[in-house]
Amino acid sequence: MKRAIILLALQLSAFWPVWRWYVARMTDSTDERWSLLALATVTLFSLYGRAAVQEKNKRGASEVKATLFPPTLALLTYCAAYAVLPPLARAGLAATALGLTLSALCFGRRLHTGMLGLIYLSLPLIPTLQFYGGYPLRVLVAAAASPLIRLGGFAVLQEGACLNWNGQLIWIDAPCSGVRMLWTGMYLACTLACLYGLRCLKTLLVLALALPAIILGNIFRAVTLFYLEAGIIEMPGWAHDGAGVFAFLIVAGVILAAVRMMRRERVCGELLAT
């Protein structure tokens, strides 16, 4: 694994413009600091995984060399395309290279999908996602929530990112766009995938199940908040935030159930094989 350590050191040196950009972004917005949680999680899993790998037999030199080819290619691509790529794209390439290297060094895998996902989430992306994806997500949520509310007997019409009821416009504002829930849900899915030791395909399946669960959870929150904001149901002020927390707890339960189901399938398969 000496080659993996050397490659990691080269990457950490070559990516110094990314680290400078990273620190600058962290000082721009408090939302960016959530990325530090993902970064700390990456560090903890890397240390734990490295310790576990050291207890196993060392892998053959040819196998390690083959494993390190993708991160080496990612590093060379970063260097070749540095001048033409925007900072965020450079950071994405750097995250890919580091994720592949840590997969080999700390987990003995060609690709640890959960770890790579956490590295992507450690990038300061939330304000960027809010800027580009916040409004389309709010429109999507409003379009899905309005027919559900009409089923309850309320003549609600969608108007962009608003719900129109009796001439009263109820906004689905930026905090309710679902970007933060999307980030948090993906973080939870990747963290659980690492904790349960899921392989690449099963981690991807968990993420594929988590995405619609997050969207549905956000729609549920929008429907609930309609009744609160329209004054149909009288609730104290904390009910607005409480509805968001409750919606996320449902989403978290779905993600946990998906991870445990994937883990149980793997264990049952191993028992049947033996």
Side-chain angles (χ1 to χ4, degrees):
M1 282 298 179
K2 290 183 180 180
R3 292 179 180 177
I5 296 174
I6 293 173
L7 178 60
L8 181 61
L10 288 174
Q11 290 172 343
L12 293 175
S13 300
F15 298 152
W16 69 266
V18 175
W19 312 141
R20 184 177 60 184
W21 168 84
Y22 190 97
V23 172
R25 285 291 295 264
M26 284 297 171
T27 60
D28 288 342
S29 170
T30 55
D31 283 341
E32 302 284 22
R33 295 172 190 174
W34 282 101
S35 305
L36 296 176
L37 175 62
L39 184 61
T41 308
V42 168
T43 303
L44 290 175
F45 279 128
S46 297
L47 294 174
Y48 176 79
R50 179 60 179 158
V53 166
Q54 287 178 340
E55 294 178 358
K56 299 178 181 179
N57 295 329
K58 293 183 179 180
R59 305 175 67 182
S62 60
E63 187 178 358
V64 172
K65 184 177 179 180
T67 303
L68 294 180
F69 176 74
T72 302
L73 181 61
L75 173 60
L76 294 176
T77 303
Y78 169 89
C79 295
Y82 176 85
V84 297
L85 291 178
L88 187 57
R90 295 175 195 162
L93 264 177
T96 301
L98 288 172
L100 293 172
T101 303
L102 290 175
S103 295
L105 179 63
C106 300
F107 300 94
R109 297 188 191 179
R110 294 181 184 277
L111 174 61
H112 193 295
T113 313
M115 175 62 65
L116 186 60
L118 285 172
I119 292 177
Y120 286 142
L121 291 172
S122 70
L123 297 176
L125 296 175
I126 294 181
T128 302
L129 292 175
Q130 287 280 20
F131 182 80
Y132 289 105
Y135 181 76
L137 281 174
R138 283 185 284 160
V139 171
L140 174 63
V141 169
S146 55
L148 293 176
I149 296 171
R150 285 197 294 271
L151 290 176
F154 296 92
V156 173
L157 296 176
Q158 176 203 359
E159 293 187 8
C162 301
L163 298 173
N164 188 330
W165 180 59
N166 289 339
Q168 178 184 1
L169 286 180
I170 299 171
W171 288 82
I172 299 176
D173 55 7
C176 295
S177 65
V179 170
R180 291 177 184 172
M181 185 183 289
L182 176 63
W183 187 95
T184 309
M186 292 294 106
Y187 168 80
L188 177 63
C190 290
T191 300
L192 290 175
C194 291
L195 283 173
Y196 280 83
L198 296 186
R199 291 287 179 172
C200 178
L201 179 58
K202 292 189 175 180
T203 301
L204 291 175
L205 288 174
V206 168
L207 294 175
L209 291 171
L211 182 58
I214 293 167
I215 294 174
L216 290 174
N218 203 45
I219 293 171
F220 169 79
R221 175 172 63 176
V223 171
T224 304
L225 291 179
F226 165 78
Y227 290 100
L228 297 178
E229 297 300 322
I232 299 170
I233 299 176
E234 295 293 336
M235 294 289 287
W238 54 262
H240 186 106
D241 293 334
V245 172
F246 182 70
F248 179 74
L249 288 177
I250 295 175
V251 172
V254 172
I255 294 173
L256 177 59
V259 171
R260 291 179 65 87
M261 179 182 66
M262 295 296 175
R263 174 65 175 176
R264 185 165 59 250
E265 286 180 357
R266 186 179 76 85
V267 172
C268 289
E270 289 176 353
L271 291 175
L272 288 174
T274 57

